[in-house]
Amino acid sequence: MSHDFSSFPSSVLFVQDVAGTYRPAQADEVLQAAQRLLLSRVRNTDIFSSPQAVRDFLRVRLAGLEHEMFAVVHLDSQNRVIEYVEMFRGTVSQTSVYPREVVKETLARNSAAVVLVHNHPSGAAQPSRADEALTQTLKAALALVDVRVLDHLIVAGADILSFAEKGLL
């Protein structure tokens, strides 16, 4: 089956529906496809051998949100990514995080370590006192089940702050 795409600008991306027909992709479809591609590049890779890939994925996934999202990157004993899980959605300025639920998800995935992640829709990457307290609470709760917290990342627009790099872990 031949398709004539000549009437569209070269910058238009197309998607194929279940019937095999091509149509111009919607912006959210392009973003979802980019997120799936970036996640596939991150999954099963050592988080320390490809930190830029992880940061790129997190930036694409969280930077544009208008609400806070708290997520966990689950890692195996070799620090390879098992899964990225968005756990709690909040408002424009805060999210309620429940340590019990984080521990349950971590045990369900048999994670050896985690990287905590949340975004600041305000664009300010600086951690709040509440962010620092939450990190310590989760670190203590996860330590009880032998799971290490390797980092807590704050995504604020194009910036990503690392608690580990700032000595806050």
Side-chain angles (χ1 to χ4, degrees):
M1 178 179 201
S2 157
H3 299 281
D4 180 21
F5 300 112
S6 61
S7 62
F8 293 96
S10 62
S11 62
V12 172
L13 298 174
F14 292 89
V15 293
Q16 186 177 23
D17 63 22
V18 291
T21 306
Y22 287 90
R23 62 172 173 74
Q26 300 295 312
D28 62 331
E29 291 174 311
V30 173
L31 288 173
Q32 288 170 2
Q35 290 169 12
R36 283 192 304 274
L37 175 64
L38 287 169
L39 182 58
S40 72
R41 289 183 180 169
V42 168
R43 225 182 238 132
N44 296 318
T45 59
D46 181 333
I47 199 163
F48 296 117
S49 68
S50 57
Q52 193 57 48
V54 173
R55 286 175 182 240
D56 288 345
F57 167 74
L58 295 173
R59 208 174 276 115
V60 168
R61 184 71 197 106
L62 298 172
L65 297 179
E66 294 179 355
H67 57 274
E68 279 200 10
M69 179 69 71
F70 180 89
V72 178
V73 180
H74 295 272
L75 307 168
D76 68 13
S77 60
Q78 305 300 309
N79 294 327
R80 290 179 303 229
V81 176
I82 297 170
E83 192 69 51
Y84 164 82
V85 180
E86 291 180 349
M87 296 195 61
F88 306 104
R89 178 188 168 133
T91 66
V92 71
S93 60
Q94 66 181 14
T95 303
S96 294
V97 176
Y98 302 97
R100 174 187 172 94
E101 296 303 314
V102 174
V103 170
K104 280 173 53 178
E105 284 287 325
T106 302
L107 291 173
R109 286 175 171 69
N110 201 28
S111 305
V114 296
V115 173
L116 309 172
V117 184
H118 79 279
N119 66 314
H120 281 179
S122 67
Q126 206 52 35
S128 67
R129 291 279 177 229
D131 293 339
E132 292 178 26
L134 172 64
T135 303
Q136 294 309 316
T137 299
L138 289 171
K139 189 175 171 183
L142 290 165
L144 293 172
V145 292
D146 296 322
V147 175
R148 296 171 294 126
V149 175
L150 300 182
D151 207 347
H152 185 162
L153 302 172
I154 297 176
V155 178
D159 296 330
I160 296 183
L161 178 131
S162 161
F163 275 52
E165 290 173 7
K166 294 286 185 188
L168 300 171
L169 205 54

